[in-house]
Amino acid sequence: MMIRRPSDVLPSEITPKDVYFNRRHFIAGAAALGVAGAAPFGAGAAPLSAAKSPLSTDEKLTSKQDVTSYNNFYEFGVDKADPAANAGTLKTKPWTVRVDGLVAKPAEYQLEDFIKPSTLEERIYRMRCVEGWSMVIPWIGFPLADVIKRAEPQSGAKYVSFETLYRPEEMRGQNGLLPVLDWPYVEGLRMDEAMHPLTILAVGLYGETLPNQNGAPIRLVVPWKYGFKGIKSITRISFTDKEPETSWNKQASNEYGFYANVNPGVDHPRWSQATERRIGEGGLFAKRRETRLFNGYADQVASLYAGMDLRKFY
Ligand SMILES: Nc1nc2c(c(=O)[nH]1)N[C@H]1C(S)=C(S)[C@@H](COP(=O)(O)O)O[C@H]1N2
Ligand SMILES: [Mo]
């Protein structure tokens, strides 16, 4: 479905020269991947497809309509419909990503130099929000580990921190009207979590570049953690020796920890985390699903937390 042959490409989808990869670069990526249509990241939705990773789940996908209209992105408002309604003001081209901190190769990248088309894959992941709902989303992205290796972390680098764009002119939620969170939104991972093959930077979903409301042009996706770890519209990735501050932990440390691993056995202080509602499934009375430890990814990630008390490190 997501993999299209070059013969399926409509003339209207052929990339203008000025958009993203130079032609040579694009053709190399396209040949390697069967990418049909180039990838004008940051220029609105554009075709972007890649081979499906075996790390994908085969569960039924949440509809594109739900994935792109039921969002959390407080920079654009706190209601689920706000991001789709308001994120059109976000300018995602040009876009720079700064990589700094405890690394041998700090750099400021233009997005088109940051993303290597040959590394893009489709990753269909179960996603679980701390609020008690879940989705299955066909992301397109590449391993965060690639970025880390390129940066050559120093031995003292134990954590990776991330920062969202701060631009109140384009993000109405950053205008002080909403004192819920400090801006910019920040998140972090321990180095081994960041290096894990399931951890990706996503640049697309459903065969297109990311819609603004889903965190264009580049966002983090960590499928065994609650959705708030998946920081959107990233402009900075830093390597540190100390556990970085995270937005929701700063807001309410008793409710949102640094780890945020999906765990049906550790309730949020104000609600149970034992079950979840799969978005798009049935109506008001649809049966809730049982939430799984590490969101069903325990076989791949439980070893990262061996010996840790998951009630303490929530
Ligand atoms: N910058 C930023 N990133 C963010 C958020 C946010 O408000 N701001 N919300 C988080 C939460 S709570 C969730 S559940 C996911 C939602 O991603 P989606 O809308 O693409 O499904 O984004 C996360 N990343
Ligand atoms: Mo969330």
Side-chain angles (χ1 to χ4, degrees):
M1 158 191 48
M2 248 64 71
I3 316 289
R4 299 187 308 169
R5 305 286 146 246
S7 58
D8 299 333
V9 181
L10 302 171
S12 62
E13 293 175 340
I14 305 250
T15 327
K17 269 202 232 49
D18 61 337
V19 279
Y20 185 49
F21 308 120
N22 68 47
R23 210 72 204 163
R24 287 244 296 301
H25 194 174
F26 162 62
I27 289 165
L33 273 172
V35 173
F41 294 108
L48 175 71
S49 46
K52 184 160 107 182
S53 162
L55 296 171
S56 295
T57 173
D58 54 14
E59 281 175 71
K60 185 173 181 287
L61 301 183
T62 302
S63 74
K64 183 178 177 185
Q65 173 63 26
D66 283 339
V67 169
T68 58
S69 64
Y70 190 90
N71 301 104
N72 275 333
F73 199 168
Y74 277 22
E75 284 84 340
F76 297 105
V78 295
D79 292 332
K80 294 291 176 276
D82 286 344
N86 300 331
T89 51
L90 174 64
K91 284 203 199 73
T92 56
K93 183 182 163 64
W95 192 270
T96 54
V97 179
R98 176 147 58 109
V99 178
D100 63 5
L102 302 175
V103 287
K105 300 241 161 73
E108 192 165 281
Y109 295 92
Q110 290 304 308
L111 189 67
E112 53 271 31
D113 304 320
F114 190 66
I115 301 167
K116 303 270 172 279
S118 62
T119 63
L120 296 182
E121 290 180 346
E122 183 176 68
R123 294 283 186 102
I124 303 172
Y125 282 161
R126 276 185 299 281
M127 306 300 298
R128 171 63 154 79
C129 177
V130 76
E131 295 164 346
W133 48 268
S134 62
M135 297 194 190
V136 177
I137 302 182
W139 301 108
I140 295 170
F142 61 99
L144 175 63
D146 293 359
V147 170
I148 298 175
K149 288 176 203 151
R150 209 194 313 170
E152 298 180 14
Q154 298 167 11
S155 59
K158 303 283 186 244
Y159 296 89
V160 187
S161 73
F162 305 85
E163 217 173 276
T164 292
L165 178 73
Y166 178 70
R167 200 182 283 159
E169 319 85 83
E170 295 172 23
M171 297 175 132
R172 64 171 70 189
Q174 291 179 335
N175 279 311
L177 303 170
L178 192 82
V180 181
L181 294 175
D182 276 348
W183 310 113
Y185 195 101
V186 289
E187 256 304 336
L189 295 171
R190 212 171 57 188
M191 188 65 88
D192 58 343
E193 300 176 320
M195 286 294 293
H196 194 280
L198 285 172
T199 303
I200 60 168
L201 288 170
V203 295
L205 59 78
Y206 261 110
E208 291 184 346
T209 53
L210 279 183
N212 284 1
Q213 60 268 34
N214 293 94
I218 186 162
R219 58 92 54 85
L220 182 67
V221 176
V222 192
W224 70 93
K225 293 178 179 285
Y226 290 117
F228 66 85
K229 296 298 283 184
I231 181 172
K232 295 177 167 180
S233 305
I234 295 169
T235 55
R236 186 176 176 197
I237 301 176
S238 294
F239 293 77
T240 64
D241 53 358
K242 288 184 199 65
E243 189 179 285
E245 287 196 319
T246 63
S247 282
W248 282 100
N249 181 253
K250 281 196 285 182
Q251 196 272 345
S253 59
N254 61 321
E255 301 188 3
Y256 310 105
F258 174 79
Y259 285 92
N261 291 321
V262 174
N263 190 338
V266 177
D267 288 339
H268 185 280
R270 293 184 282 131
W271 60 83
S272 164
Q273 292 291 20
T275 65
E276 66 199 55
R277 179 171 69 95
R278 182 64 53 89
I279 298 297
E281 249 178 22
L284 223 42
F285 304 103
K287 199 164 165 284
R288 291 175 69 90
R289 291 170 174 252
E290 311 236 315
T291 288
R292 297 160 70 191
L293 183 60
F294 298 113
N295 201 27
Y297 295 96
D299 287 351
Q300 293 100 307
V301 302
S303 62
L304 301 182
Y305 311 102
M308 282 174 68
D309 179 355
L310 298 176
R311 307 202 134 265
K312 182 159 175 245
F313 298 99
Y314 56 87

